[in-house]
Amino acid sequence: MANHVEIEEFITPERVEWAHGRALMAQHGGRQTFADTGWRAALARDPKLLKALERGAEIVSQIDENQRGRTRRAADKFDESMETTTTQLWREAYRLCDAGTPIRNFEWIYGAAALLCGYNT
């Protein structure tokens, strides 16, 4: 019998960074099918996609905290106190999808999560 791997264990910081990078390359290359796959899964509130978005948002947030946390908390300027755009995108994409109201603006993040689920290539 094959070992069963929970999606939470499979989704690592390296895999999230890889999937996000692949989504950016697909976006710049005009590969709309990459985004459409994630968009369809988001509209369906696919449980596996939701878990990938949740875990991805947690990981991206942790990476942001590890890299900029102390600087952000001690910042004098508002723009230095903000989370990175990537962190905000993943978090909001997950929040809206979980609420059942995904928006097309996050289709590339949904595509990255779909890649983590094995729906995208």
Side-chain angles (χ1 to χ4, degrees):
M1 179 181 255
N3 289 339
H4 177 71
V5 176
E6 293 292 326
I7 195 166
E8 294 91 350
E9 297 168 13
F10 175 77
I11 299 176
T12 63
E14 295 79 17
R15 286 191 173 111
V16 172
E17 287 181 312
W18 168 77
H20 188 80
R22 290 282 306 271
L24 291 176
M25 288 190 312
Q27 182 181 26
H28 293 294
R31 291 185 41 229
Q32 186 62 39
T33 57
F34 186 95
D36 290 343
T37 300
W39 174 243
R40 285 190 301 274
L43 287 175
R45 290 195 76 235
D46 179 83
K48 197 172 174 182
L49 182 90
L50 280 168
K51 183 50 75 176
L53 282 169
E54 178 183 30
R55 186 73 181 120
E58 290 169 358
I59 286 172
V60 170
S61 181
Q62 187 59 52
I63 291 169
D64 187 17
E65 177 64 24
N66 291 346
Q67 291 177 350
R68 303 180 56 247
R70 182 180 221 175
T71 303
R72 189 174 55 243
R73 286 188 297 277
D76 292 334
K77 298 178 186 172
F78 177 73
D79 62 331
E80 292 174 355
S81 67
M82 297 294 298
E83 292 179 319
T84 62
T85 301
T86 301
T87 302
Q88 293 176 47
L89 288 172
W90 275 85
R91 189 177 309 212
E92 192 65 6
Y94 167 65
R95 186 188 72 76
L96 289 172
C97 190
D98 188 42
T101 56
I103 60 173
R104 196 77 193 203
N105 303 54
F106 296 118
E107 66 186 358
W108 298 101
I109 301 297
Y110 300 141
L115 180 62
L116 292 169
C117 294
Y119 303 156
N120 254 333
T121 55

